[in-house]
Amino acid sequence: QKEETKEEARKEEPKEDAIKGTAEGEAKKEKPEEGAKMEELKEDDIKGTAEVRSCLERELGQDQEALADFNRALELSPNDVTAFRGRGDLKLYMGQYGGGLADWSGALELNPDDFGASRGRGEAGLFLGQQQMAVAGFNRVLELRPNHVATLRRRGEANRWLGQHLEALADFNRAL
């Protein structure tokens, strides 16, 4: 009876259909079989899938593919704050600080209260050596979340680089 149970379990195992691992452990995208009927997807479905896939690709180190997916999501929905923020984060990770700044600015034009985009602007300021812009971005984050410890620390660092040692110390003390 145990043999039957194992056999039944094998039949119910999920099969890989959209992404298959190669011998090198990389993933490759496969097209559906020719003639297979695909459910008609709405733009939101495609955009959402592109955003999620881009996050996975980023985790796999496939930055260019992730960037292409964020671009696709923004083509389908040019006012998508989440896609702007995600692409900004990816560009920061890729060392494209100015591009990240542009995307976070785009997100903030659409939603001035976006926490992630405000924090991204602060981070971009630090990486670009524009400490005053960094402080302004972090100030906005702290308006939205007054006790966000990581932001207090980063604003403290920016203030320190600006020579504003008392302000930096106040941020560090508040964070601790």
Side-chain angles (χ1 to χ4, degrees):
Q1 192 161 17
K2 286 185 180 180
E3 288 299 317
E4 291 176 11
T5 306
K6 286 181 184 177
E7 187 62 36
E8 288 174 9
R10 280 190 206 118
K11 288 180 184 176
E12 294 179 16
E13 286 179 4
K15 296 179 182 177
E16 292 183 24
D17 57 303
I19 299 179
K20 297 200 184 260
T22 64
E24 295 81 35
E26 296 178 5
K28 69 176 187 175
K29 298 170 192 154
E30 286 195 352
K31 293 181 180 179
E33 290 181 29
E34 195 171 322
K37 224 175 190 183
M38 292 292 290
E39 177 184 333
E40 190 170 321
L41 296 176
K42 296 179 181 173
E43 282 187 12
D44 284 346
D45 295 329
I46 295 169
K47 177 190 68 71
T49 302
E51 287 176 7
V52 172
R53 185 173 72 182
S54 67
C55 292
L56 177 60
E57 288 166 337
R58 180 177 166 196
E59 291 171 15
L60 293 170
Q62 299 172 355
D63 297 340
Q64 293 304 320
E65 292 86 348
L67 186 58
D69 279 339
F70 276 122
N71 290 339
R72 172 91 168 126
L74 285 164
E75 285 172 16
L76 293 169
S77 184
N79 294 325
D80 185 347
V81 173
T82 303
F84 269 116
R85 187 178 347 103
R87 190 173 71 177
D89 291 346
L90 176 62
K91 286 180 178 178
L92 177 73
Y93 176 78
M94 295 172 69
Q96 299 174 8
Y97 309 126
L101 176 60
D103 283 340
W104 291 312
S105 296
L108 288 170
E109 284 178 26
L110 297 166
N111 179 6
D113 294 332
D114 189 88
F115 170 83
S118 296
R119 190 151 197 287
R121 278 186 58 83
E123 292 295 333
L126 287 178
F127 282 101
L128 292 168
Q130 298 177 16
Q131 308 314 322
Q132 291 178 331
M133 179 177 55
V135 169
F138 294 140
N139 284 343
R140 181 65 183 136
V141 171
L142 292 168
E143 288 173 17
L144 298 168
R145 295 190 191 166
N147 297 312
H148 193 259
V149 173
T151 301
L152 286 165
R153 181 178 56 90
R154 295 299 274 168
R155 185 176 72 177
E157 291 171 8
N159 276 321
R160 181 177 177 212
W161 291 328
L162 285 169
Q164 305 294 328
H165 296 107
L166 293 178
E167 288 88 346
L169 187 59
D171 281 341
F172 296 142
N173 288 339
R174 194 168 142 202
L176 295 173

